Amino acid sequence: MNQQPPSPPPESDPMAAFFEGLEDLAVQQARRLINLSLYSKALLSMLPVALIATDKDGLVRMSNKAAQDILGFREEEITGRPAAEIFGPRSEIARRLRQALEDAKPAHLASRSLKLRSGKTLVGNLYLQPFRDDENTLRGLLVTVEDLSYVHFLHDAFKRYVPPSVSEMIARNPQELKLGGEEKHLSVLFADIEDFTRYSESHTPNEMVTLLSEYFTLMTDQVFAFEGTLKEYVGDELMAIFGAPVEQADHPLRACRTAIAMQKALSDLRRRWRAIGRPAIRARIGVNTGPMLVGNLGSPYRFSYGVLGDQVNLASRLEGLCAVYGTPILIGERTALEVADVFLLREIDWVRVKGRVQSVRIYELLGEKDGPRPGPAREAALAFYAEALEAYRNRSWDHSLHCFEQAAAADPEDGPSRVMAGRCRQFLGAPPPEDWEGVFEHTRK
């Protein structure tokens, strides 16, 4: 049986190969465009601003999820309908939409109150951007709405507590703000008017309101100058927070600078008030640093931004101890450790305050190291005090008393020297127990 030999393979057709390659390229390009479209849709869905694309007649062809959430509609409700309906067909926004399409020119409406058809009102920036094809033919309009309602809420909520620069920073970067309770390392400041009861007894309520208003304005100006947060006024007391709600790595320095600025401003105020017969008020200030619970604290009925914790309570106790030692500013041990390279400090005592088990070293804040130096008499008093404090802790009552008295003689207005000299006299007659470690326990707030 004769078999036919196999036919030779057909010669390759160059044109067929060309069209096959062209077909492969088209398929690849189609896949790329499909993937790009899917990627673009995914990207648009993640953007935090509302995006609406219309055709040249102003009919909605595409919207992202943010647009549906912010503007309050479902995609099927608005697709194919005039974009102007979202804002009300007779609204200023609808008029500007139509104008942007007619003129084929971009437009921007900043911080407008936008009334939506749903009845919702939001504050936002509106951007209208016509887009064209490769032949420069108008194809439609891209409508972008940036919702600023939360930003405005934050700005309004915090402008009572922080300086404008900080409230604007919070509004621009709300992600930096963490509300609710969280533990953070912060500094707090308490300021209180010395002998406030005496002033309130000798002035009418209206007079006291006038005095306190001027005093608090001046003190708050100093808090805001160093970008602190005003927590509250309670009676004649002011409380400020440093390091929240906006992070401040140097919050102990800011708190100490605020305290010094407060005392300087109050000194100037005393001179002005004396000239018009007003009382020469003085203030006591306590500053402390450490871990605290910070956030919106309170109950469902009422809450406010604030801090809680042992270190907050200690700051309040330090302000109270200023009255005991006759010092204008006292700071805690933790604050002193963080500012010692910048500020002149004097260790005053080692104490245990009422309601607290742990003891703490307390320091007087004297000024910045690169600022004016104390005068010769003050320098001598500080040197005598340091020597006296060392002798006191070694139970050398005679020597410590002598040095404290020398310090008081060098600077007769130095309160701590007089207080510690009196304590040495007391210990000469009735010394503390043998296991005494140098800690003095204060039994009053």
Side-chain angles (χ1 to χ4, degrees):
M1 183 174 187
N2 294 331
Q3 288 188 338
Q4 292 273 349
S7 302
E11 294 185 7
S12 60
D13 185 346
M15 289 302 294
F18 170 77
F19 282 113
E20 285 179 8
L22 187 60
E23 183 181 353
D24 289 343
L25 182 62
V27 170
Q28 291 174 17
Q29 181 72 356
R31 286 175 177 164
R32 188 186 72 82
L33 289 173
I34 290 170
N35 289 336
L36 181 60
S37 176
L38 293 173
Y39 171 77
S40 298
K41 287 182 179 178
L43 183 63
L44 288 175
S45 70
M46 292 186 290
L47 289 176
V49 295
L51 293 175
I52 299 170
T54 78
D55 59 18
K56 61 184 179 59
D57 298 317
L59 303 179
V60 175
R61 296 304 176 194
M62 185 279 295
S63 61
N64 68 346
K65 187 176 185 305
Q68 296 150 32
D69 293 341
I70 293 172
L71 303 177
F73 61 81
R74 294 194 302 273
E75 185 175 14
E76 59 271 18
E77 289 179 327
I78 198 66
T79 302
R81 300 188 63 80
E85 289 187 3
I86 298 172
F87 307 99
R90 295 190 179 134
S91 66
E92 179 194 5
I93 306 301
R95 184 183 66 79
R96 296 296 291 271
L97 280 168
R98 290 189 289 267
Q99 190 70 42
L101 282 169
E102 289 174 13
D103 298 343
K105 292 181 180 178
H108 173 212
L109 286 77
S111 295
R112 296 299 175 92
S113 180
L114 307 179
K115 183 77 173 177
L116 308 178
R117 67 168 187 167
S118 63
K120 176 183 175 183
T121 300
L122 63 86
V123 178
N125 289 329
L126 183 76
Y127 302 88
L128 306 174
Q129 180 63 53
F131 57 90
R132 302 172 182 273
D133 59 18
D134 293 340
E135 297 177 358
N136 204 33
T137 302
L138 180 68
R139 296 298 301 273
L141 189 68
L142 182 64
V143 182
T144 307
V145 180
E146 183 183 13
D147 185 8
L148 301 179
S149 302
Y150 183 58
V151 170
H152 280 248
F153 164 75
L154 291 177
H155 186 274
D156 290 342
F158 277 90
K159 68 183 180 183
R160 295 174 296 166
Y161 308 114
V162 298
S165 60
V166 175
S167 64
E168 289 167 8
M169 185 189 309
I170 292 169
R172 288 195 306 270
N173 304 287
Q175 70 277 6
E176 296 294 325
L177 180 64
K178 296 178 181 177
L179 298 178
E182 62 173 330
E183 186 174 296
K184 297 185 72 173
H185 184 73
L186 305 172
S187 295
V188 290
L189 177 153
F190 285 86
D192 194 69
I193 296 177
E194 186 178 307
D195 293 332
F196 176 73
T197 302
R198 177 166 59 87
Y199 297 130
S200 61
E201 287 175 349
S202 57
H203 292 78
T204 67
N206 284 339
E207 288 172 336
M208 287 308 301
V209 167
T210 300
L211 295 176
L212 280 175
S213 177
E214 189 170 346
Y215 164 79
F216 278 138
T217 299
L218 186 67
M219 297 294 100
T220 304
D221 284 344
Q222 312 316 309
V223 173
F224 284 1
F226 295 96
E227 298 186 333
T229 299
L230 175 66
K231 167 62 177 78
E232 61 188 356
Y233 307 125
V234 179
D236 61 313
E237 183 182 75
L238 176 151
M239 178 183 175
I241 307 165
F242 296 83
V246 175
E247 297 277 352
Q248 296 165 330
D250 60 344
H251 57 82
L253 295 174
R254 290 174 184 265
C256 289
R257 287 185 173 125
T258 299
I260 290 173
M262 281 179 161
Q263 292 294 2
K264 183 181 183 305
L266 190 55
S267 177
D268 295 337
L269 182 66
R270 278 196 297 272
R271 284 195 292 271
R272 296 199 304 272
W273 279 12
R274 282 195 191 102
I276 58 176
R278 286 183 175 179
I281 64 172
R282 297 181 181 276
R284 305 182 297 250
I285 300 174
V287 175
N288 193 42
T289 300
M292 305 166 193
L293 183 70
V294 60
N296 270 333
L297 309 173
S299 72
Y301 301 102
R302 186 171 183 177
F303 60 87
S304 64
Y305 191 80
V307 288
L308 292 174
D310 175 59
Q311 299 302 320
V312 179
N313 297 336
L314 179 56
S316 179
R317 297 289 186 269
L318 291 172
E319 177 270 307
L321 287 180
C322 287
V324 175
Y325 292 94
T327 52
I329 306 170
L330 284 176
I331 68 174
E333 189 171 350
R334 291 172 182 253
T335 308
L337 287 171
E338 298 200 39
V339 304
D341 292 340
V342 177
F343 287 93
L344 290 171
L345 307 174
R346 169 170 59 160
E347 185 176 352
I348 295 295
D349 204 353
W350 190 9
V351 303
R352 184 177 293 110
V353 299
K354 183 175 175 60
R356 197 168 189 267
V357 175
Q358 190 175 1
S359 57
V360 61
R361 296 177 189 271
I362 61 175
Y363 297 79
E364 182 181 10
L365 183 64
L366 301 173
E368 297 206 40
K369 287 184 175 180
D370 60 359
R373 299 291 303 180
R378 182 67 168 156
E379 289 273 20
L382 295 175
F384 279 126
Y385 192 94
E387 183 180 349
L389 191 62
E390 184 178 0
Y392 166 84
R393 287 175 178 161
N394 290 327
R395 305 174 67 98
S396 300
W397 311 124
D398 286 319
H399 182 55
S400 60
L401 173 59
H402 172 73
C403 290
F404 281 133
E405 288 177 338
Q406 290 287 93
D411 183 2
E413 295 186 0
D414 188 54
S417 298
R418 297 193 303 271
V419 170
M420 297 300 285
R423 194 183 298 169
C424 287
R425 295 187 191 100
Q426 177 186 345
F427 284 168
L428 277 169
E434 290 299 320
D435 60 353
W436 180 72
E437 297 177 339
V439 177
F440 187 82
E441 186 155 350
H442 288 275
T443 56
R444 293 188 304 171
K445 290 186 179 180

